[in-house]
Amino acid sequence: MELIPAIDIIDGQCVRLTKGDYAQKTVYRNHPWDVAKEFETYGFKRLHVVDLDGAKAKHIVNSDVLQKITTETSLTVDFGGGIKTDEDIEKAFANGAQMVTVGSIAVTNPELFLSWIKKYGADRMILGADVRNGKISINGWKEDSSEDLLPFLRKYVDAGVTNVLCTEISKDGTLQGPAIDLYKRIMQEYPNLHLIASGGVSSIDDIKALEAAGIPAVVFGKAIYEGRINLKELEIIDQR
């Protein structure tokens, strides 16, 4: 199973929200690049970075933080938050992101998203499928679209998407356990998908449960910052 720690950024700081609520923000570290370097020392190869300011502003804001992380570590960084235009995606790649996570544009401008898949390749694109009450949520989780999850995924799997990051918003930042049944349904429908589970992970046991359910990858952050997961005790088996 691929284990991916997460760094969320507001005002250049490492933070976590609860259920995507900007009013429920906890600042954990002032320098996200120091956190990234610590993750690297524990053997992680991959990092998920979210520009929460960018998601809210609808354009990339913290590109300088991204650049510092990618220049000071050798981690494979996937970056999301505020990628709305050709200029945004070019900025993300120019500042060292190897992959980008795109959600809102896949809902509001499918043609643009499909053009990015064609231009950059499906291996560099992660479809962000953030779910609330069965619907895809957009723009920093401030709006719910009319898109139902499984048909939304079908549209892009058929177009060549292989990487999907699915966050169950009601679980995110709650430390109440991941939405395993949801991820099982996705994998039953799309067994060849590289699905990245996100939201609710509270312990190593949660990670083991996802692995036992056949989920290929997991993103987790708050459980690390709150001391629920001790990285010294986490056996990193497969870092693709």
Side-chain angles (χ1 to χ4, degrees), residues 13 35-36 99 240:
Q13 299 174 311
V35 179
M99 307 173 76
R240 280 174 277 181

Side-chain angles (χ1 to χ4, degrees), residues 109-146:
N109 193 341
E111 295 80 9
L112 181 58
F113 181 60
L114 290 170
S115 75
W116 290 344
I117 294 172
K118 185 175 180 180
K119 181 175 181 179
Y120 298 106
D123 60 326
R124 301 193 75 187
M125 307 296 296
I126 302 170
L127 174 62
D130 302 326
V131 185
R132 180 163 45 210
N133 300 321
K135 302 289 186 181
I136 299 294
S137 185
I138 60 175
N139 294 328
W141 302 348
K142 296 193 299 297
E143 304 170 40
D144 292 336
S145 75
S146 60

Side-chain angles (χ1 to χ4, degrees), residues 171-177 200-203 206 222-224 226 228:
K171 296 278 191 179
D172 192 70
T174 65
L175 300 172
Q176 293 177 357
V201 171
S202 66
S203 66
D206 284 338
K222 191 169 186 177
I224 299 172
E226 292 285 340
R228 301 287 192 95

Side-chain angles (χ1 to χ4, degrees), residues 3-239:
L3 307 178
I4 309 170
I7 291 177
D8 292 354
I9 303 167
I10 292 179
D11 295 331
Q13 299 174 311
C14 177
V15 308
R16 295 299 286 179
L17 306 182
T18 299
K19 299 183 181 180
D21 185 352
Y22 285 73
Q24 297 186 61
K25 177 185 75 174
T26 302
V27 177
Y28 288 101
R29 295 282 287 275
N30 290 328
H31 301 131
W33 49 90
D34 288 338
V35 179
K37 285 190 280 189
E38 287 179 19
F39 288 147
E40 189 172 34
T41 64
Y42 281 104
F44 290 101
K45 304 296 183 186
R46 175 91 174 264
L47 180 66
H48 177 62
V49 176
V50 181
D51 181 356
L52 289 174
D53 291 316
K56 195 172 185 179
K58 300 185 181 181
H59 61 83
I60 291 177
V61 173
N62 288 289
S63 58
D64 55 335
V65 178
L66 169 63
Q67 184 181 54
K68 197 162 179 65
I69 289 171
T70 58
T71 55
E72 296 201 7
T73 75
S74 60
L75 294 165
T76 296
V77 175
D78 75 73
F79 179 82
I83 298 175
K84 308 291 187 186
T85 64
D86 289 331
E87 290 75 18
D88 286 320
I89 196 168
E90 288 166 6
K91 180 182 285 188
F93 287 136
N95 283 281
Q98 287 95 334
M99 307 173 76
V100 293
T101 300
V102 178
S104 299
I105 285 299
V107 174
T108 62
N109 193 341
E111 295 80 9
L112 181 58
F113 181 60
L114 290 170
S115 75
W116 290 344
I117 294 172
K118 185 175 180 180
K119 181 175 181 179
Y120 298 106
D123 60 326
R124 301 193 75 187
M125 307 296 296
I126 302 170
L127 174 62
D130 302 326
V131 185
R132 180 163 45 210
N133 300 321
K135 302 289 186 181
I136 299 294
S137 185
I138 60 175
N139 294 328
W141 302 348
K142 296 193 299 297
E143 304 170 40
D144 292 336
S145 75
S146 60
E147 295 269 8
D148 291 314
L149 174 62
L150 291 179
F152 174 75
L153 294 181
R154 168 58 64 192
K155 177 168 53 178
Y156 288 116
V157 169
D158 288 347
V161 164
T162 57
N163 302 297
V164 171
L165 173 69
C166 183
T167 303
E168 170 50 74
I169 295 170
S170 68
K171 296 278 191 179
D172 192 70
T174 65
L175 300 172
Q176 293 177 357
I180 293 178
D181 288 343
L182 172 67
Y183 303 129
K184 281 182 176 179
R185 288 202 303 274
I186 295 171
M187 292 305 299
Q188 286 168 359
E189 191 78 16
Y190 310 109
N192 297 320
L193 200 63
H194 188 66
L195 176 65
I196 307 166
S198 172
V201 171
S202 66
S203 66
I204 292 175
D205 285 343
D206 284 338
I207 294 173
K208 290 178 178 177
L210 286 165
E211 185 174 31
I215 311 307
V218 59
V219 161
F220 54 106
K222 191 169 186 177
I224 299 172
Y225 303 125
E226 292 285 340
R228 301 287 192 95
I229 291 179
N230 184 337
L231 295 181
K232 292 179 181 178
E233 298 173 357
L234 184 63
E235 183 180 2
I236 300 177
I237 300 169
D238 179 18
Q239 294 295 316

